[in-house]
Amino acid sequence: MTNAACSGVGFTSTPFNTTNGVVPTGTTYTWTTPSVTGGLTGGVSGSGSSIAGTLSNPTSSAQTATYTVTPTLGSCAGAHFTITITVNPLPTAPNINSTTQPTCTVSTGSITLGGLPSGGWKLYRSGTSSATDGSGTTTTINGLAAGDYTFTVDNLTCISSSSLTATISNAYVPVNRWSGKVWSSGTPTLDQQIVFEDSYEEFVDVIEGCSCIVKAGKTVTIRSRKTLRIVNQVEVRGDGILTFEDKASLVQIKDVPADLNLGKITYRRSTLPILKTDYVYWSTPVTTAALGDIQSGTLYYSFNALGNKWVNASAGTAMDTGKGYIVRGAGTWFDTGSITLTPNFKGVPNNGIVKAYLTPGKNNLIGNPYPSAIDGDAFINANTNTTALSNSLSGTLYFWTHKSTIQLASNITNGTAGSGKFAYTSDDYDTYTLTGGTGGLNTGTIAAGQGFFAPASSTGGNAIFNNSMRLSSSGGVLDNAQFLKQVVGSKAIKTTSNSKLDKNRVWLNLTNSGGAFKQILIGYITGATNGYESTYDGNNFNANSFVNFYSINQNRNLTIEGRALPFDQDDVVPLGYKSTIVEEFKIAIDKTDGFLSNKKINLEDKLLGKIQDLSEAPYVFTTEVGTFNERFVLSYANKTAASTIMLGTGDYKKASEAVLISNKNKEIKISSSTNEIDKVFVYDLSGRQIYTASKVEKNELIIKTIMSSNQVLIIKVVLQNQSTVNKKIIY
């Protein structure tokens, strides 16, 4: 009978067969001297029907030992049997070829092994019960935490002895110390632990490090618009102080750092001057902040998305990470004048993955949870796709602009509200989608401390923030200075994008001389279609008290409209507006980018039959109070104005044949031979409405009350079937 064993490893043979296949109880054996090949050493012993022992094979090939046994008791007495033991050599212990130690950016190490069996094998390491399968004479084991490691290899026959010990240690991350004058190892890098052993307030754009320690009793100040960029942990020890001035940033890179942040920072955030009666939308960049830390003795609210209503809060209300709140400027409604809010947020800086729950299908007030800006595109992309982090977000974000309410121009002292009888500055929402943003959101960054409305998808769920959003797509630090950016009117902000999308956009402003303002954005974008998509198209979330301005698509009023590429030269975009002001207005290009920077952009006034190339000059018109969704369209093809243009729906040719408009003796007579007349409007050439008649409900109307002399008027007649006829007359 033949049995296999491994060199130096104890073995027990299987029982051998006796003549009748039965081993009687009490049988004993006589063992003869073995026949040994290849220099096997070691011994065996027998008991019952088995043989056990340890044999060592000093060669590189299998060797055998043969034992003869003679039973001395029972029915097998005098019989002779043999047992042959084949002893296989052990594979060579793995060699430690090299060791790669952890760095700050890669927190684990690796070990490369050599001398492995050329065929298939299983590799075992100390401290773990799992085995690594492989083949070939070398391999690298990655993802090793700090510790000591030995390895054995199984060639699928025998297991080797242990390798030498290899050590993975975090001590290899170098330390760079600030002494009060210089760094001990030059300018800090992301692979170094930085330690502030003395106070610091230098004007350096970016300080980088693997981790950051502020020693007890030391004060470190990161100046406005400067950045502390750390891979892992920030630790403020004892009574040490780490302060970030307004517009400064603390950027942390790893979502799961080697250690959690320890100790408190102070993060300062300042608003622009606002009325004491105005509200600011906030979120907290640190733990343990309360609403009263923003402003004491005022009014505070959170938002109930399910009930679509504001909920009273108190100064002591703790601010939840990722949630938005609003805080009034100061005191009660009787306070007047302006104020600048300058809260100090004190607490452990928020870091890593943060979740903010969005109630399905509702508007939710959330906020940037970090002491640094985040990329709006990255946030939208991560939360609007079932293959991304979540599918909780509808795709459009809304930001309160914090402008003051209407005042007499004589009372305006800040110089920003325009001139005229009234200064029509008004609170409103800036809008942002993947197409871009209106007002102060052109760069697409969401500043630290900024609260905003996020409409949820139909499924809702947790919106995810993570550290990758705190850097641009190229890894750069984001601008953190756009907090509460006011609408800037025709003063263009430099347009940048963190996205690689092909964006070709035009921003249009509706303004008047008194400061009324509304901006919309039309863009031709990679991935967009001409239908409605919440990630590219922003619904008109209007809160402006005086004017509204929007594009119209699929019966939706849009502040931002993304349209398809490739570009169609004959594309037409309907525009609408609403005004509570009887005044002269202007529609103008604020800025363009992409191929729209070199293209004719026409505004067609269908009421007056005029076309203005806005790339050459703004279009000025006069409006009455009301909503006007059929007057303007945006186009790009070369066009000439028609003398008479239909303003409404219906069959124009048939309606025009059925309607007769005449002017005699200062009476305007309108007759319809088919449908009854529903409404009549009269405009002068500036577009000012000077007469209206509603619910006429008869086939003839005579107008005698217009006070006008020797001027061109435009008569708009709307029939009961909603057909529309326009005609110019001299009155």
Side-chain angles (χ1 to χ4, degrees):
M1 187 170 200
T2 301
N3 296 274
C6 292
S7 177
V9 179
F11 66 88
T12 300
S13 74
T14 57
F16 59 84
N17 293 326
T18 62
T19 300
N20 59 9
V22 177
V23 181
T25 301
T27 300
T28 60
Y29 305 89
T30 298
W31 299 87
T32 63
T33 303
S35 171
V36 178
T37 63
L40 287 174
T41 60
V44 297
S45 61
S47 174
S49 58
S50 63
I51 183 172
T54 301
L55 296 174
S56 296
N57 180 2
T59 69
S60 60
S61 59
Q63 305 297 326
T64 61
T66 302
Y67 293 85
T68 301
V69 301
T70 302
T72 59
L73 179 67
S75 60
C76 297
H80 294 281
F81 301 92
T82 61
I83 297 177
T84 299
I85 307 298
T86 298
V87 183
N88 295 296
L90 300 183
T92 304
N95 299 324
I96 306 296
N97 284 0
S98 63
T99 301
T100 301
Q101 299 296 341
T103 66
C104 184
T105 52
V106 181
S107 60
T108 58
S110 64
I111 297 173
T112 298
L113 303 174
L116 302 176
S118 58
W121 42 256
K122 286 183 178 291
L123 189 68
Y124 299 90
R125 70 173 182 261
S126 58
T128 179
S129 59
S130 62
T132 300
D133 294 309
S135 62
T137 58
T138 63
T139 191
T140 298
I141 307 300
N142 297 306
L144 298 176
D148 294 331
Y149 294 90
T150 59
F151 298 87
T152 58
V153 64
D154 182 351
N155 64 1
L156 309 184
T157 300
C158 296
I159 299 176
S160 73
S161 58
S162 292
S163 68
L164 297 176
T165 299
T167 299
I168 301 295
S169 174
N170 288 327
Y172 287 89
V173 179
V175 178
N176 199 348
R177 305 176 187 276
W178 174 256
S179 64
K181 295 182 179 180
V182 295
W183 290 99
S184 61
S185 300
T187 301
T189 69
L190 289 175
D191 287 326
Q192 297 173 333
Q193 302 178 61
I194 60 173
V195 180
F196 290 95
E197 296 186 334
D198 206 339
S199 295
Y200 179 96
E201 51 183 5
E202 303 295 310
F203 289 87
V204 176
D205 285 342
V206 180
I207 307 169
E208 295 184 323
C210 167
S211 59
C212 172
I213 295 175
V214 177
K215 289 291 189 70
K218 308 306 176 185
T219 298
V220 174
T221 301
I222 306 301
R223 299 288 193 174
S224 179
R225 294 182 179 271
K226 310 304 180 185
T227 300
L228 178 62
R229 186 181 178 198
I230 301 297
V231 176
N232 290 311
Q233 179 192 45
V234 172
E235 180 181 358
V236 182
R237 295 180 176 176
D239 58 352
I241 298 173
L242 176 55
T243 299
F244 293 83
E245 293 183 341
D246 182 44
K247 303 181 181 68
S249 300
L250 168 59
V251 176
Q252 292 180 262
I253 297 174
K254 281 194 174 181
D255 282 328
V256 184
D259 297 289
L260 299 177
N261 291 335
L262 296 173
K264 295 181 178 181
I265 68 167
T266 297
Y267 189 86
R268 294 174 180 165
R269 182 91 269 184
S270 295
T271 69
L272 295 171
I274 60 171
L275 286 181
K276 292 182 178 180
T277 53
D278 196 12
Y279 286 91
V280 176
Y281 286 39
W282 293 95
S283 62
T284 177
V286 301
T287 63
T288 69
L291 290 174
D293 296 334
I294 297 173
Q295 174 71 8
S296 61
T298 187
L299 303 178
Y300 316 92
Y301 294 91
S302 62
F303 187 74
N304 182 323
L306 186 61
N308 193 35
K309 61 182 179 181
W310 296 103
V311 178
N312 285 303
S314 67
T317 298
M319 300 178 72
D320 292 337
T321 301
K323 185 176 180 178
Y325 300 85
I326 66 171
V327 177
R328 193 169 176 273
T332 68
W333 287 109
F334 300 102
D335 285 321
T336 59
S338 63
I339 188 174
T340 298
L341 301 183
T342 56
N344 290 329
F345 291 96
K346 294 182 179 180
V348 178
N350 294 324
N351 186 33
I353 296 174
V354 173
K355 299 179 180 180
Y357 181 74
L358 303 184
T359 301
K362 302 294 184 179
N363 294 319
N364 297 263
L365 186 58
I366 62 175
N368 178 0
Y370 305 118
S372 64
I374 61 172
D375 182 340
D377 284 6
F379 177 72
I380 292 172
N381 280 323
N383 291 285
T384 55
N385 193 320
T386 54
T387 62
L389 298 178
S390 80
N391 193 29
S392 60
L393 188 67
S394 172
T396 305
L397 311 178
Y398 297 93
F399 299 78
W400 188 242
T401 60
H402 313 277
K403 291 180 69 80
S404 55
T405 53
I406 187 169
Q407 299 185 62
L408 289 173
S410 59
N411 294 334
I412 298 295
T413 59
N414 59 20
T416 64
S419 59
K421 182 178 180 181
F422 293 101
Y424 294 101
T425 54
S426 174
D427 294 325
D428 201 0
Y429 287 94
D430 286 349
T431 307
Y432 191 82
T433 70
L434 293 181
T435 301
T438 61
L441 291 169
N442 294 314
T443 65
T445 59
I446 303 171
Q450 181 74 72
F452 56 93
F453 269 112
S457 66
S458 59
T459 57
N462 286 321
I464 306 298
F465 298 89
N466 63 25
N467 282 348
S468 66
M469 300 172 188
R470 301 168 75 174
L471 296 169
S472 70
S473 58
S474 61
V477 175
L478 300 171
D479 180 14
N480 195 21
Q482 290 197 94
F483 184 70
L484 309 183
K485 194 71 175 181
Q486 286 188 336
V487 173
V488 293
S490 60
K491 297 180 180 179
I493 295 176
K494 182 180 179 182
T495 303
T496 61
S497 174
N498 299 318
S499 171
K500 295 181 180 180
L501 298 179
D502 182 9
K503 296 187 177 184
N504 310 275
R505 301 172 291 185
V506 56
W507 285 261
L508 298 178
N509 294 341
L510 174 67
T511 60
N512 74 352
S513 60
F517 175 87
K518 190 72 178 182
Q519 185 178 85
I520 64 172
L521 166 60
I522 310 295
Y524 295 83
I525 311 295
T526 303
T529 70
N530 287 347
Y532 174 77
E533 299 152 299
S534 60
T535 52
Y536 295 97
D537 303 310
N539 286 316
N540 185 252
F541 204 49
N542 187 59
N544 192 304
S545 304
F546 311 105
V547 294
N548 195 9
F549 186 36
Y550 42 85
S551 67
I552 304 170
N553 190 351
Q554 296 179 340
N555 296 319
R556 292 176 180 267
N557 295 342
L558 303 175
T559 298
I560 300 174
E561 183 171 350
R563 298 186 67 78
L565 290 174
F567 176 71
D568 181 359
Q569 181 72 22
D570 294 322
D571 194 29
V572 174
V573 182
L575 306 180
Y577 74 94
K578 177 181 179 181
S579 177
T580 62
I581 309 165
V582 180
E583 274 191 20
E584 185 177 80
F585 277 83
K586 177 172 67 176
I587 296 176
I589 293 175
D590 184 75
K591 64 186 73 64
T592 58
D593 65 8
F595 58 65
L596 288 183
S597 296
N598 300 302
K599 187 172 290 295
K600 177 189 288 290
I601 300 175
N602 298 317
L603 182 72
E604 299 184 37
D605 187 335
K606 298 172 70 176
L607 173 63
L608 302 183
K610 295 180 179 180
I611 295 178
Q612 173 65 47
D613 182 355
L614 295 179
S615 61
E616 295 182 352
Y619 183 68
V620 179
F621 66 99
T622 301
T623 185
E624 293 293 314
V625 173
T627 299
F628 304 87
N629 287 347
E630 299 174 340
R631 181 168 181 176
F632 294 120
V633 297
L634 201 68
S635 64
Y636 310 95
N638 291 322
K639 295 184 178 182
T640 57
S643 59
T644 305
I645 302 176
M646 185 181 71
L647 294 181
T649 58
D651 190 330
Y652 174 70
K653 181 179 179 181
K654 292 182 179 179
S656 63
E657 293 174 349
V659 175
L660 176 66
I661 302 176
S662 61
N663 172 29
K664 185 178 181 180
N665 297 326
K666 295 301 180 181
E667 290 184 355
I668 300 173
K669 182 178 180 180
I670 304 169
S671 301
S672 173
S673 61
T674 55
N675 289 272
E676 289 185 344
I677 300 168
D678 182 23
K679 294 185 284 287
V680 173
F681 305 90
V682 181
Y683 303 88
D684 62 22
L685 275 182
S686 70
R688 184 171 63 91
Q689 181 178 300
I690 60 176
Y691 174 85
T692 182
S694 300
K695 297 182 179 181
V696 177
E697 298 179 350
K698 55 186 178 181
N699 290 89
E700 183 176 281
L701 175 68
I702 297 177
I703 304 172
K704 301 179 180 180
T705 57
I706 295 177
M707 302 298 294
S708 178
S709 179
N710 296 323
Q711 67 169 314
V712 176
L713 299 180
I714 299 171
I715 313 299
K716 175 183 175 181
V717 180
V718 181
L719 302 179
Q720 290 287 351
N721 67 354
Q722 297 305 299
S723 296
T724 304
V725 176
N726 295 339
K727 186 175 181 180
K728 292 181 181 178
I729 65 171
I730 297 177
Y731 184 82

